[in-house]
Amino acid sequence: MCNWHKPMRLLPRFFLRVIISLAFFATTVWSSQVQSTLQMPPEWNKALDSLADKIGTTAKPAKTFSLDVRNISSLNADDVSSLRRTLVENLTGLGLTLTQRMPADAQLQLTLSESAEDYVWVTEIRRGGAREVVMVSAAREIVKNPSSAGPSVTLQRKSIWEQAGKILDFGLVSDAVAAGSSILVILEPDKLSFYEYRSGEWQLTRAVAVARVRPVQRDVRGRIDLPAGKAELADAECSGNFQRPETVTCSSVAAGYDAAFVTKPIFMQGRTVDSYVTLAPACGIGPLTLVTGPGDWTEPDFIQAFGLKNQAGAVSEKILVPGPILALWASEDGNSARVVSRNLQTGAYEASIVSVSCGD
Amino acid sequence: MKLRLFLFLAAISVVLAVVAAPLRPARRPRYGGTLRVEIGTIVRSLDPSVAANPEEADAKDELDALLYDRRSEDGTFVGAAGSGVFRLSAWEAEKSAVFAANEDYRAGRPFVDSIEVQMGRSTHERLLDLELNKADFAQIPAELARQAADHGVRVSASQPDELLALVFLKGRTATENARVREAIARCIDRAAIVNFILQKEGEPAGGLLPQWSSGTAFLFPTETDARSAKEIWTQISPSPKLVLGYDSVDTLEQSVAERIVVNAKEAGISLVSRAIPNPGTASAHAGSEALRGDTIHVDARLIRLRMPSPMPRVALAAFIDVLGPLGGIEAGPLPENASPEDIYNSERSIISGGRVAPLVWMPQVYGLSARVRDWKQPVAGESWPLADVWLDSTTDAR
């Protein structure tokens, strides 16, 4: 086989590939930047405003600054670049100018760290021989997955609620439905609690005790069915109009096998999966299966999406969860999933919603 | 031919995967069985009204947590004995105890039927019994975690939540000079303590809170600076002779004290180590009187501080409660809504005072038998969650 002419034919194709790759890369970078900026929670913007103010005050009378960013937290690269860009914009707005020319009037080292509670963003300001430290904290509200060219579905986990006591399930009645403020319903082993969103925070409005003849099982499971106005446990049931908490009552029922709360295991990815949900068709893939990790209740967990028809390959990156996922239920519209997990670092039970969006 | 071989191997892999799948640990817990626990200390009484000596305090606390319903905010137990997740069914003071599942516990009966506790088991005995599958659960010193894992013991380590620190005792003339304290603090090679004594099961400490809790520990340097320590020491005249105390029954403290003496010698500092009899091990919620070691003269001593909570404000406040009277450290109370900056500033003010030199952070390490399922490391301040573990009947105890 004579293929001496191939290099000549490949040359233009090579350039074409380079151009396409560069265009793709540029588009990916641009879109991820736009996406990150758009998705940055308002609390983070507030925290960055506050950090910029502190830096501006401490660095006075500096006119120029250099900025070095180090990430030692669970934030991903997109978040880091987005936070850096926003901080630079804020500092520029305060009359400071970012310079590459050394030495700048103030050398800033931004460290994105995290504590047991929140993100902690620390700036060390070096000016002359002096070193000052300023910092702010920001809620760990959103855990996003890094965008990549491979999977075509993006999972986002939004934390809704956390508490020390065990959570079995939760539900959100939006303000549109509840005619006023949103209602958060938390099902616990011994009570059903209703919170209303008022003045920027959830406030407990009612807690209905779950009366029992026998003590609750240690591995009790439960589920809230908002449209049906029901919260079910193996040995108790609460019912009423969840948009009007005062109508809800709980009563003991004959304890039975809690099969209703156990999903039938499926075999995929070379393992038996007993914690999963099926969501509505999305992103042109068809129905999605959200699957949790193979560990037990002692390990961090993850959620990953697979196509229902072809379960061979994941269609999303993994969303890491800092503790075992204890309950996973599909939402009423089938477009998102309710997740209850336990944070192994803090011991708190966390309620969060995992939603699906399309694109890289 | 190659294709056939490939297909054959692929088929074998699929069959093995399917066969192996049911053997993977089930997530659904099972009820029943007896959990065999071994502890190193001797507990004389489980009655909370009987004062425990410092050595037995932690173990007694863990056992009482099985018996009592819950704790109040000040840490005392609420309810009657037996109102907790277990009831005491047999008790031989200083030797053994058997706890039976409380069928009527409000949060559900525990998964295991009973827990057998053997007391006074030495570290060697505990490790051996874990290796031989004669014990299901035992605490292991952090410095022996690697050795235990090498011997096939299933090891579980927490976030580092116990601080080993050097405290310059209040009222000692030799250490009233801040330069003396600074020279000693600078000469200590914390990385060597972690790498060689703790066998890498820990991390150097520069601040009073670990990085995972405060998020600001990285702001406190942990590097050794023998050269400047030497320079500082040469400027002190007359240079005092110092004594560093350690708990006589704590082999880790002894090793660390001896290592610090070596570091000090290298910097020209005159420091000797000396065992303090019966001071007991300290925890952040233990009283500080037992920590002084006044029976033998020491200028500084090593102290262990366990975080009572993962929350940085709570942990720092508890540490200040212990360090305050011991080292004469004065720090204002932290407000309920203290920001990370408030906590960092308080921590920095204590460290810059030089009365305490943090050395290393250590995790709580536990050895577990293969049949113990759903063991979750307790978060700082939590009791052992033995009510939540269950025993896998497919992995029988020998």
Side-chain angles (χ1 to χ4, degrees):
Chain A
M1 289 286 284
C2 179
N3 57 1
W4 56 270
H5 57 284
K6 267 192 174 175
M8 290 297 287
R9 286 175 60 185
L10 280 175
L11 198 60
R13 198 178 286 176
F14 170 76
F15 280 119
L16 191 64
R17 278 183 188 163
V18 168
I19 290 163
I20 291 170
S21 302
L22 283 173
F24 176 76
F25 178 73
T27 311
T28 307
V29 168
W30 176 81
S31 68
S32 69
Q33 283 181 349
V34 169
Q35 203 175 26
S36 298
T37 309
L38 289 175
Q39 288 173 350
M40 197 149 87
E43 288 82 1
W44 290 11
N45 276 317
K46 273 188 207 168
L48 282 179
D49 282 347
S50 169
L51 185 61
D53 286 343
K54 287 181 177 185
I55 294 169
T57 308
T58 311
K60 263 181 188 167
K63 297 280 180 210
T64 61
F65 70 95
S66 62
L67 179 61
D68 186 24
V69 180
R70 182 169 66 131
N71 178 27
I72 55 172
S73 70
S74 56
L75 286 166
N76 65 39
D78 285 346
D79 287 330
V80 172
S81 70
S82 187
L83 289 167
R84 185 188 194 281
R85 196 171 46 254
T86 308
L87 181 65
V88 169
E89 284 168 9
N90 289 352
L91 290 171
T92 307
L94 292 172
L96 289 162
T97 308
L98 178 65
T99 180
Q100 306 299 330
R101 207 183 288 171
M102 299 301 279
D105 294 345
Q107 289 130 48
L108 310 184
Q109 163 80 60
L110 171 65
T111 303
L112 302 170
S113 179
E114 63 190 313
S115 70
E117 297 164 296
D118 291 315
Y119 288 122
V120 181
W121 298 335
V122 181
T123 306
E124 294 164 78
I125 306 162
R126 286 188 172 80
R127 204 159 46 84
R131 172 182 173 264
E132 299 276 350
V133 176
V134 292
M135 66 184 78
V136 291
S137 61
R140 261 193 297 238
E141 190 183 2
I142 290 180
V143 181
K144 291 177 290 185
N145 71 320
S147 60
S148 78
S152 52
V153 166
T154 301
L155 298 182
Q156 289 184 348
R157 175 172 167 254
K158 184 171 184 184
S159 185
I160 302 294
W161 182 259
E162 72 169 48
Q163 64 180 41
K166 191 183 272 186
I167 299 174
L168 303 181
D169 195 8
F170 67 100
L172 261 177
V173 186
S174 72
D175 51 357
V177 179
S181 52
S182 304
I183 297 173
L184 173 65
V185 190
I186 302 283
L187 178 61
E188 298 172 55
D190 56 353
K191 65 179 180 237
L192 185 68
S193 303
F194 293 87
Y195 296 83
E196 274 187 31
Y197 198 72
R198 290 185 200 144
S199 314
E201 60 179 353
W202 291 107
Q203 294 179 5
L204 181 68
T205 54
R206 187 159 189 248
V208 187
V210 176
R212 284 193 174 82
V213 182
R214 296 279 305 155
V216 66
Q217 274 204 318
R218 182 156 287 272
D219 59 334
V220 61
R221 296 183 184 201
R223 185 176 183 176
I224 292 175
D225 185 347
L226 281 180
K230 275 199 311 189
E232 294 172 302
L233 297 104
D235 57 351
E237 187 177 289
C238 302
S239 58
N241 182 350
F242 281 29
Q243 294 153 30
R244 293 174 53 223
E246 68 277 10
T247 64
V248 177
T249 55
C250 295
S251 57
S252 174
V253 296
Y257 177 61
D258 53 355
F261 309 117
V262 182
T263 45
K264 187 182 167 192
I266 54 172
F267 188 78
M268 61 187 295
Q269 296 289 299
R271 66 183 174 97
T272 304
V273 177
D274 56 5
S275 180
Y276 64 93
V277 287
T278 304
L279 299 185
C283 311
I285 297 170
L288 295 174
T289 308
L290 299 191
V291 171
T292 64
D296 62 17
W297 292 348
T298 67
E299 301 167 57
D301 215 332
F302 66 81
I303 297 177
Q304 192 167 26
F306 292 81
L308 187 66
K309 286 180 184 165
N310 178 12
Q311 295 175 341
V315 295
S316 80
E317 295 285 347
K318 291 174 182 171
I319 288 187
L320 301 180
V321 181
I325 291 167
L326 307 173
L328 178 67
W329 301 110
S331 63
E332 291 72 36
D333 60 6
N335 293 325
S336 59
R338 305 191 302 278
V339 177
V340 176
S341 57
R342 187 168 196 209
N343 188 323
L344 291 176
Q345 203 171 51
T346 63
Y349 288 85
E350 298 177 342
S352 52
I353 287 179
V354 170
S355 55
V356 176
S357 59
C358 307
D360 297 330
Chain B
M1 190 63 189
K2 277 182 182 172
L3 181 67
R4 278 186 188 171
L5 183 65
F6 173 76
L7 289 173
F8 175 72
L9 289 173
I12 292 280
S13 307
V14 169
V15 168
L16 282 175
V18 171
V19 169
L23 299 178
R24 286 172 186 277
R27 293 184 75 147
R28 186 77 178 164
R30 296 189 182 91
Y31 287 86
T34 296
L35 184 77
R36 300 155 307 165
V37 174
E38 293 191 5
I39 58 176
T41 45
I42 286 169
V43 179
R44 293 169 300 154
S45 165
L46 289 177
D47 185 348
S49 63
V50 176
N53 67 43
E55 284 160 355
E56 69 173 312
D58 284 350
K60 182 182 178 180
D61 210 50
E62 294 292 354
L63 299 184
D64 276 341
L66 302 172
L67 285 179
Y68 290 87
D69 189 10
R70 60 181 186 278
R71 289 171 197 265
S72 61
E73 281 196 1
D74 64 358
T76 54
F77 290 101
V78 175
S83 61
V85 71
F86 286 94
R87 287 174 175 152
L88 191 63
S89 65
W91 170 254
E92 195 175 353
E94 305 186 5
K95 284 190 178 169
S96 65
V98 180
F99 298 85
N102 179 356
E103 300 288 339
D104 300 322
Y105 185 59
R106 59 177 175 82
R109 66 151 281 173
F111 293 117
V112 296
D113 288 337
S114 60
I115 298 178
E116 284 177 7
V117 181
Q118 296 291 323
M119 301 176 210
R121 304 289 287 169
S122 69
T123 304
H124 176 73
E125 288 171 329
R126 298 199 302 270
L127 283 172
L128 200 62
D129 285 351
L130 284 166
E131 276 178 46
L132 298 174
N133 213 1
K134 289 180 176 173
D136 291 312
F137 173 82
Q139 195 155 11
I140 300 172
E143 64 271 24
L144 294 179
R146 182 164 289 222
Q147 183 193 324
D150 289 346
H151 283 79
V153 174
R154 185 177 151 211
V155 169
S156 165
S158 71
Q159 297 263 32
D161 63 0
E162 185 172 9
L163 176 66
L164 182 64
L166 186 155
V167 184
F168 295 98
L169 300 176
K170 188 172 70 171
R172 306 297 197 265
T173 320
T175 54
E176 280 308 301
N177 183 347
R179 303 286 281 168
V180 169
R181 302 197 299 265
E182 189 182 353
I184 292 173
R186 280 177 185 252
C187 78
I188 299 168
D189 188 347
R190 293 166 174 81
I193 295 173
V194 170
N195 291 335
F196 301 115
I197 298 176
L198 283 175
Q199 294 287 301
K200 299 187 178 175
E201 199 65 47
E203 52 192 54
L208 289 171
L209 295 167
Q211 173 64 23
W212 65 265
S213 171
S214 68
T216 56
F218 70 90
L219 291 167
F220 296 96
T222 57
E223 292 82 20
T224 179
D225 190 356
R227 183 179 289 180
S228 69
K230 206 169 192 171
E231 276 176 21
I232 293 168
W233 193 257
T234 54
Q235 292 162 13
I236 300 167
S237 179
S239 53
K241 288 182 177 172
L242 303 167
V243 182
L244 172 63
Y246 61 87
D247 184 339
S248 61
V249 296
D250 192 325
T251 52
L252 174 68
E253 280 195 18
Q254 183 180 356
S255 304
V256 171
E258 285 166 0
R259 181 87 206 182
I260 292 172
V261 168
V262 171
N263 290 154
K265 261 188 193 153
E266 286 166 359
I269 298 169
S270 174
L271 181 73
V272 291
S273 61
R274 187 172 295 165
I276 306 171
N278 304 317
T281 39
S283 63
H285 37 76
S288 61
E289 290 92 7
L291 304 170
R292 289 181 189 281
D294 281 338
T295 47
I296 285 182
H297 174 82
V298 293
D299 301 296
R301 66 153 300 161
L302 296 180
I303 182 172
R304 288 173 183 246
L305 296 163
R306 244 179 103 174
M307 294 174 71
S309 161
M311 298 302 137
R313 185 191 66 79
V314 180
L316 185 61
F319 286 180
I320 290 170
D321 282 349
V322 176
L323 293 171
L326 201 62
I329 293 161
E330 287 171 13
L334 287 161
E336 283 283 327
N337 58 350
S339 67
E341 200 158 20
D342 296 332
I343 294 165
Y344 165 71
N345 285 332
S346 174
E347 203 181 346
R348 192 182 61 167
S349 144
I350 295 168
I351 296 296
S352 61
R355 291 241 156 236
V356 57
L359 302 175
V360 286
W361 281 104
M362 300 173 293
Q364 306 304 312
V365 180
Y366 303 93
L368 304 162
S369 72
R371 66 181 191 144
V372 174
R373 308 296 306 166
D374 277 348
W375 161 257
K376 185 187 75 64
Q377 271 289 349
V379 175
E382 276 185 359
S383 301
W384 298 336
L386 299 183
D388 289 329
V389 303
W390 53 278
L391 300 173
D392 194 341
S393 56
T394 58
T395 315
D396 288 331
R398 276 173 226 164

